[in-house]
Amino acid sequence: ASAVAATRLAGDAAHVAGLARRLLDRLGVPFTINGDGAPRWPGIVNLSLAGVDATRLLAATRELAVSTGSACSSTNGQPSHVLTAMGLGDGLRVSFGRFTTAVEVDAAAAALTAAARRQAVLAA
């Protein structure tokens, strides 16, 4: 399994990096990439959406596999300890994998955009 994974690593990294760019290109609301420029797996993006509470956004997009914390703490409801240590507010972690499709990414971008816009309208 390790040998097979090693042969696919570069292709997988390129695939998920393209999907992450696609999501960011299609988000229709202002965002910040938390930790932008830091070394990371290209298939994980942590975002803060301007004026949007990530926990409420998470609740509004239950159909998506996103979280406000790391994958190993995604069920505890706590904000990311990494973002907290960086002095940042909450963020939304979006992950992409070998089997994630462009259609799924487009649907996720549309759902996140719609939920963020609804939240901004309600807050106004």
Side-chain angles (χ1 to χ4, degrees), residues 58-99:
L58 186 65
T61 56
R62 291 190 190 276
E63 73 276 13
L64 302 178
V66 296
S67 74
T68 56
S70 64
C72 56
S73 66
S74 63
T75 60
N76 72 10
Q78 299 298 312
S80 164
H81 68 280
V82 174
L83 294 182
T84 301
M86 293 170 62
L88 300 172
D90 55 1
L92 190 69
R93 183 182 54 83
V94 184
S95 302
F96 309 91
R98 174 182 299 149
F99 302 110

